[in-house]
Amino acid sequence: MNVPWFIKNAARSIAGCVGSAVSRSGLLCSSGTLRKMSSRQTDHLERTASVYRQEALFSARVCGITNESGKVKRLQLEVPHPDFSFRAGQWVDFFIPGMEKVGGFSVCSSPGLLQRTGIIELAVKYTEHPPAHWIHTECTVDSRVAVRVGGDFFFDPSPSDPVMDLLLVAGGVGINPLYSILMHTADLLRQPGGYTPGHTHLCYSAKNTEDLLFKNSIISVLHEFPHKTSCNFHVTQQGRAVEPHLQPYTTSGRISEEELRQHVDPERTLCYLCGPPPMIEGLSTDLQQLGLPKNRILFEKWW
């Protein structure tokens, strides 16, 4: 089988899972991306200087703020300019008026939401880093910011590309770009005549069910496309009973090689990984031992 163009271009840069809003410096890896936290809070633009980004800067208005979890705010941004676009999995440079530091946050919504409503969404974890701190403590509806799209980690198939099964593996806030990809696959399934994805399976690990972002929306997609989508939530430090509506999807413990085995076909599986480096390194090894070629394992690591 020929390798589709989106595999060749999807994750070969110094981009990272910027949705976590943690300061990191870039370190190029041979088969993906690693961003290492330094003792100095390096500037986002400095860390991603070698990464593809669009030239244009676009004005945006905050049109909604909700609590996605106790530590994560979900931000809705209205970006009205007709030339603004992004690919599922990419991030934005986030410019706040009067602030020197530039944020970097993964877009967690689908390109289809932008096309339908002119809105993109970011899920930002609280930290003391100035852009994330501003979002959690000062940002309000109607606040004005500017954004610029960047990143080489994305899923953007063309109608002529071969049908691929997707395996999405997320750890913690690494879910952000993968949720965008999941929602993009749902949009593609709703639009017959274009590219039709194969089966999409999401493995998502967090400390507990409170930290599972987007869980209700993910389950809604599973209900809408029961033969095309599936998901396992993994909780590693659950201190109470799992909520009844989450029990059918939730497993105690880390993502196992056996689960991966059930969703890997070396001929047609494309895997996207985003999470802590030790998790990604271990799972990448497992996937290769299961026969998945390196060029089908695309990842971003945050540290």
Side-chain angles (χ1 to χ4, degrees), residues 13-267:
S13 73
I14 313 179
C17 279
V18 292
S20 63
V22 178
S23 293
R24 295 168 288 269
S25 60
L27 177 63
L28 185 62
C29 295
S30 61
S31 61
T33 300
L34 172 63
R35 308 187 79 193
K36 182 178 179 181
M37 179 181 285
S38 96
S39 59
R40 176 178 65 92
Q41 286 194 334
T42 55
D43 180 74
H44 163 69
L45 298 182
E46 175 187 338
R47 296 192 310 270
T48 61
S50 299
V51 182
Y52 164 79
R53 52 174 34 88
Q54 297 175 2
E55 294 183 4
L57 193 67
F58 294 91
S59 176
R61 180 182 71 89
V62 177
C63 59
I65 306 173
T66 56
N67 292 322
E68 188 64 33
S69 73
K71 299 178 182 178
V72 176
K73 285 192 179 292
R74 190 167 178 172
L75 209 63
Q76 290 188 319
L77 298 177
E78 181 183 46
V79 191
H81 199 288
D83 292 339
F84 179 80
S85 66
F86 73 98
R87 293 165 168 169
Q90 289 186 303
W91 42 261
V92 293
D93 297 329
F94 191 86
F95 297 84
I96 300 166
M99 183 177 293
E100 181 180 356
K101 291 287 185 182
V102 176
F105 307 114
S106 294
V107 181
C108 62
S109 54
S110 71
L113 180 68
L114 174 65
Q115 294 168 5
R116 294 188 296 271
T117 67
I119 290 172
I120 65 170
E121 296 183 333
L122 314 176
V124 181
K125 185 177 181 179
Y126 176 82
T127 72
E128 293 295 329
H129 190 248
H133 190 267
W134 178 86
I135 287 171
H136 278 260
T137 61
E138 298 183 49
C139 180
T140 62
V141 172
D142 288 331
S143 290
R144 300 282 176 165
V145 297
V147 292
R148 179 174 57 202
V149 172
D152 298 305
F153 181 83
F154 57 80
F155 177 66
D156 185 29
S158 64
S160 61
D161 281 321
V163 174
M164 304 290 290
D165 292 334
L166 296 185
L167 175 59
L168 310 178
V169 185
V173 290
I175 186 62
N176 282 329
L178 302 188
Y179 179 69
S180 175
I181 291 173
L182 175 66
M183 299 309 287
H184 185 45
T185 63
D187 283 341
L188 291 172
L189 290 169
R190 297 182 187 111
Q191 300 169 359
Y195 179 84
T196 301
H199 188 274
T200 299
H201 180 73
L202 172 66
C203 302
Y204 178 14
S205 177
K207 290 182 179 179
N208 51 57
T209 54
E210 165 66 18
D211 288 343
L212 289 170
L213 308 182
F214 320 119
K215 50 186 173 285
N216 293 329
S217 297
I218 291 170
I219 291 173
S220 293
V221 170
L222 304 186
H223 289 169
E224 185 177 358
F225 303 107
H227 302 298
K228 282 286 192 176
T229 59
S230 56
C231 173
N232 280 350
F233 297 133
H234 291 259
V235 290
T236 58
Q237 299 179 30
Q238 185 75 10
R240 55 184 173 81
V242 174
E243 298 90 321
H245 74 289
L246 297 178
Q247 289 179 4
Y249 311 100
T250 304
T251 301
S252 178
R254 302 183 184 279
I255 298 167
S256 68
E257 181 179 344
E258 182 55 36
E259 179 181 352
L260 298 177
R261 185 189 309 276
Q262 297 174 23
H263 298 281
V264 168
D265 179 341
E267 295 299 320

